[in-house]
Amino acid sequence: MAETLLKGSGITQRWGGLVAVNKVSIELERGTVHAVIGTNGAGKSTLINILSGEFPPTEGKIELLGKEATNWSQAKRARQGLGRSYQRNTIFPDFSVFENCRLAAQAQVQRPWVWWNDAQKCKQSVESANRALELSGLTEVKERFAGLLSHGQKRQLEIAMCLAIQPEVLLLDEPLAGMGAEETDRMLKLLDNLKAGHAILLVEHDMDAVFRIADRITVMVNGSVIASDTPDQIRVNPDVQTAYLGGH
Amino acid sequence: MDKLFSGKFLFIGLVFAGLALYPLFASSYGLDLVAKIMIYAILAMSLELLVGSTGLVCFGQAAFFGIGAYIAVMLSPESESANLLWLLPASIVAAAAYALFVGALSLRTKGVYFIMVTLAFAQMAYYVVHDTKLGGGTDGIYLYFKPILGSVIDLNDAKVLYFFTWVFLVWTFVFLAILLRSHFGRVLAGIRINEQRMRASGFSTYPYKLAAFTTSGGIAGLAGFLFAVKDGFVNPEMMSWHLSGALLIMIILGGLGHLRGAIIGAFAFVFLQEFFKSSEIFGAFSKHWQLGLGFTIIACVALLPKGLVGLPEVLHKRLYGSRPRDAQVVLK
C-alpha cells in the first residue's frame, strides 16, 4: 500500500448559491501522478486552491502527511511540504531565475532577524535553489532575468520554484498550458522524474498528456466527482464518455 | 553591471562626503536648511522601505514623525536638558509602538483601502494633538533645553546638531541597505512583486509586513526627534497629511525602489520648494509657489518615469543608444 501524503475528504465549497466543489474526496499517494480533469468551471482550480490553503473550504477535512491540516494557513502547509504551481505564471520577473528559486527556498530557512547577513550567501537556500534548477533543467539560464524567459521556460520555473521548497506533495495547475509539443515532452519527462519521490496532483486540459502520465484520473463535472479510476478504466467509463469525452 | 553598481556607491559616498564638508562654508541659514533636508531624507527613506521595497503605500507617515517629535519635547524636563541616551530611544520606541498598532490593523487591508486606513490613523493622531491640551493644541510646544549627552554632545549647538543628523542619515542608509539584501529584505521584495506566491512558498507574509511597518515607523520617529530638536518647537502641522503627501512625492520624484532615490527626492523637493518660494526670482508670483512646484513635479514624473535615479540611464540612452545589459545581464 502506497503512502498517502495528502488526503481531502468531503470537500465542499459554496459561493453563495453556487456549489463550486461538491463533497469531493481525493487521496494523493507518493509515487503517483493523480490527474484531475473536467470542463472549464468544473471546480478543479477551486479544489487546488482549497487543498493548498488559499482559502478554507465551506466543509470538509484535509490531512497533510497524516496530520489534520484543515485549519493550517497556506504558508504553514507549504513549510510542511506542500508545493503548488499556478495556472498563470507567478514568477518574479525582475529577479534572476536563480533568485526566484532561492527566495522560494528561503522559506525553509527563515531567519528574518539576522538582518545583517546577505541573503545571497545563505548556503541552504542557495543549495536548494541549485538543486531545483538542476532538476527542472534551468541551470543554463539561471543568471537570466525570469521575465525574459520563453513561455515554456517560465512554466518550468514555476515548477522549479515549487521544488525549491522541497515539497513532498505537488499540486500543479495546468503546467502544460500554452506549451508546444517539444516543451510538453520535456515537462512530462520532468514530472515522470519527480513522480518517485512525490505525490503529484495534476490539473490539466491536454488529454493526451494526461493519459500518458497519470496513474489515476479523477473526472469532475459541475463540482462533483463522477469517476475516479485508472486511465484505462476512465477511457471506457460510459459516464465519463457522455459527460466529458463526448463519446470519443 | 559592476560599473553601474560601483557608480551607485561612488555617488552616494560623494553625497555623504559633500554633506559632511558643507558646514565648513555654510551660512547658518544654509546649515539649518540642509539639516532639515537630511531629516526629510531620513523620513523619506523610512517611507521608501514601505512603498518602494514592500509595495505598501502608506499615507500616514507624518503621524510617526510627529509622535517622535512630540515625545522628544513632552518628555524633556522644563528647566534642564534631557539625556540623549534615553530621550532618543523613547521617541523611536513611541513612534514604532504606534506604527505597530496602526500596522496590525491596517495591514489586514490592501491597496486603496490600506492607503485610506493609514491616512485615517494619521489624522486621528493629528486631531489628538490639534484639539486637546495634551500637546499644546494648535500652538504647539517649545523645547527650551535641547537634549545633551554629558559634555560630549550638546545639541544646542547648530553644528553639533548638523553632524548628529548627518550621522543618522548615513546610519539609516547603511542600515536599510543591509536590511534590504538580508533574508528579511528579500522577502519584502517578494511580497511587493507577488504576495500570493510568497505565501504559497511558505512565508507568512503578515508578520513580515508588520515588522517592516514598525521598523519604518521607528525610523520616522527618529526623524521626528531630530526635527523637534532642530527647531526647538513642535506643532500639529508636523502630523498633517500634507507632509505624508509630500513624502510620497519625494520618493516618487527621486525614484521608487532605490534608497538613494529617497535622499535625492528629499533634496530635489525642498530645493524646488525654496526655488519657487523665492521672491527674488519670482517676485509677487512666489506667493503661488505651489503651482510652479506642482507643474515641475508633473513634468519630472512624465519625462522620468523611473524618477531622478533613472536620469543617468535616460541620458546614456539618448547619447549612446540602449545598452545590451537592458536585454540580458542580470541582477543576481
Side-chain angles (χ1 to χ4, degrees):
Chain A
M1 185 65 199
E3 184 188 358
T4 300
L5 297 183
L6 182 72
K7 186 174 168 190
S9 15
I11 294 174
T12 299
Q13 180 67 48
R14 290 190 205 95
W15 305 115
L18 174 80
V19 185
V21 175
N22 189 11
K23 297 194 191 103
V24 171
S25 295
I26 194 162
E27 287 190 16
L28 305 181
E29 293 166 350
R30 198 191 294 280
T32 59
V33 173
H34 190 139
V36 175
I37 60 173
T39 46
N40 282 325
K44 307 178 302 276
S45 289
T46 310
L47 180 64
I48 278 206
N49 284 338
I50 290 170
L51 291 175
S52 79
E54 208 92 29
F55 42 77
T58 319
E59 278 162 35
K61 234 177 77 174
I62 293 154
E63 276 174 53
L64 178 59
L65 308 178
K67 281 177 245 166
E68 163 74 40
T70 318
N71 295 320
W72 287 3
S73 69
Q74 183 177 28
K76 180 163 185 191
R77 290 182 209 193
R79 288 195 297 271
Q80 299 289 326
L82 179 77
R84 75 159 293 181
S85 79
Y86 287 86
Q87 194 174 344
R88 286 191 327 208
N89 289 328
T90 56
I91 56 173
F92 303 106
D94 304 340
F95 295 172
S96 70
V97 169
F98 168 77
E99 177 63 8
N100 266 271
C101 288
R102 198 208 58 75
L103 184 55
Q106 190 187 303
Q108 301 297 106
V109 278
Q110 297 188 44
R111 282 192 294 262
W113 51 89
V114 190
W115 62 270
W116 55 89
N117 272 359
D118 189 345
Q120 305 287 340
K121 295 193 178 119
C122 164
K123 251 195 210 141
Q124 261 168 295
S125 59
V126 168
E127 275 168 19
S128 299
N130 281 330
R131 203 175 316 127
L133 289 169
E134 185 83 46
L135 267 172
S136 49
L138 287 170
T139 306
E140 276 175 29
V141 293
K142 72 183 227 181
E143 297 293 312
R144 209 174 284 178
F145 279 122
L148 297 171
L149 294 178
S150 71
H151 174 75
Q153 286 172 322
K154 282 180 185 160
R155 299 305 294 166
Q156 269 171 281
L157 177 56
E158 220 16 87
I159 310 274
M161 286 166 78
C162 277
L163 296 176
I165 70 169
Q166 307 192 357
E168 302 204 53
V169 182
L170 284 168
L171 309 178
L172 307 178
D173 200 352
E174 298 197 26
L176 303 172
M179 277 192 164
E182 207 175 302
E183 289 170 329
T184 300
D185 274 348
R186 199 178 322 138
M187 182 66 85
L188 290 180
K189 219 171 276 166
L190 168 62
L191 294 186
D192 211 39
N193 281 340
L194 294 176
K195 201 160 101 169
H198 301 85
I200 301 177
L201 176 77
L202 177 69
V203 165
E204 189 46 63
H205 275 298
D206 183 337
M207 283 307 120
D208 291 338
V210 165
F211 279 95
R212 259 167 73 189
I213 188 134
D215 301 292
R216 194 173 180 84
I217 297 178
T218 291
V219 186
M220 285 177 75
V221 173
N222 291 332
S224 303
V225 172
I226 61 164
S228 186
D229 218 322
T230 59
D232 293 337
Q233 291 297 318
I234 290 290
R235 221 187 281 270
V236 297
N237 184 315
D239 289 343
V240 176
Q241 285 184 351
T242 39
Y244 183 63
L245 297 173
H248 285 300
Chain B
M1 187 65 202
D2 279 345
K3 207 174 123 196
L4 204 80
F5 195 63
S6 57
K8 230 161 65 172
F9 281 100
L10 187 67
F11 170 80
I12 207 71
L14 284 176
V15 169
F16 288 153
L19 287 171
L21 294 174
Y22 179 69
L24 289 178
F25 43 84
S27 64
S28 67
Y29 170 77
L31 204 64
D32 185 72
L33 179 69
V34 175
K36 180 173 95 171
I37 299 177
M38 289 197 295
I39 294 170
Y40 279 149
I42 295 173
L43 187 53
M45 280 194 280
S46 79
L47 187 60
E48 165 63 30
L49 174 66
L50 292 181
V51 182
S53 308
T54 320
L56 296 167
V57 182
C58 171
F59 200 1
Q61 204 69 0
F64 313 127
F65 177 70
I67 287 172
Y70 267 85
I71 289 294
V73 175
M74 285 160 61
L75 292 188
S76 287
E78 272 182 30
S79 52
E80 56 173 337
S81 288
N83 189 332
L84 254 181
L85 274 186
W86 64 263
L87 191 63
L88 177 59
S91 277
I92 295 175
V93 168
Y98 190 59
L100 180 67
F101 167 70
V102 173
L105 297 170
S106 60
L107 286 169
R108 296 177 186 279
T109 64
K110 280 197 167 42
V112 178
Y113 299 99
F114 178 77
I115 300 176
M116 287 302 145
V117 172
T118 51
L119 173 64
F121 276 113
Q123 288 304 92
M124 213 166 86
Y126 171 80
Y127 282 111
V128 166
V129 294
H130 188 271
D131 291 351
T132 66
K133 292 217 171 86
L134 191 73
T138 47
D139 295 337
I141 340 172
Y142 283 91
L143 173 69
Y144 296 105
F145 296 91
K146 296 183 178 180
I148 55 169
L149 179 61
S151 55
V152 191
I153 301 173
D154 181 358
L155 295 181
N156 290 293
D157 182 331
K159 274 198 181 158
V160 173
L161 181 87
Y162 180 94
F163 280 114
F164 192 71
T165 307
W166 181 87
V167 166
F168 277 104
L169 175 72
V170 175
W171 177 84
T172 305
F173 180 84
V174 172
F175 169 68
L176 288 178
I178 293 174
L179 184 73
L180 287 177
R181 45 158 232 175
S182 74
H183 271 197
F184 180 69
R186 296 310 292 167
V187 174
L188 298 187
I191 290 173
R192 181 188 74 231
I193 301 172
N194 194 334
E195 186 173 351
Q196 188 186 35
R197 166 55 99 173
M198 292 303 282
R199 277 198 303 264
S201 295
F203 294 101
S204 304
T205 53
Y206 179 78
Y208 277 94
K209 291 193 286 184
L210 187 57
F213 201 88
T214 308
T215 307
S216 168
I219 296 172
L222 162 71
F225 171 90
L226 293 168
F227 206 89
V229 171
K230 180 184 82 65
D231 277 1
F233 174 70
V234 287
N235 71 8
E237 289 313 304
M238 295 182 72
M239 292 200 197
S240 81
W241 66 267
H242 298 91
L243 179 61
S244 299
L247 287 169
L248 280 170
I249 292 173
M250 283 179 203
I251 58 176
I252 291 168
L253 194 63
L256 280 181
H258 305 274
L259 273 181
R260 67 189 191 290
I263 299 179
I264 296 170
F267 273 88
F269 186 86
V270 178
F271 281 149
L272 284 173
Q273 206 176 20
E274 293 293 317
F275 174 69
F276 285 109
K277 268 185 179 174
S278 148
S279 54
E280 283 113 60
I281 303 174
F282 290 100
F285 187 72
S286 62
K287 262 196 310 203
H288 309 292
W289 60 273
Q290 278 148 324
L291 196 65
L293 180 66
F295 276 123
T296 314
I297 288 167
I298 291 172
C300 273
V301 174
L303 296 173
L304 296 168
K306 285 183 186 166
L308 292 168
V309 162
L311 190 61
E313 203 180 318
V314 171
L315 288 179
H316 200 281
K317 255 186 203 162
R318 279 281 153 84
L319 293 173
Y320 305 106
S322 59
R323 283 180 257 200
R325 65 164 286 271
D326 294 340
Q328 271 301 335
V329 199
V330 198
L331 174 100
K332 241 196 185 166

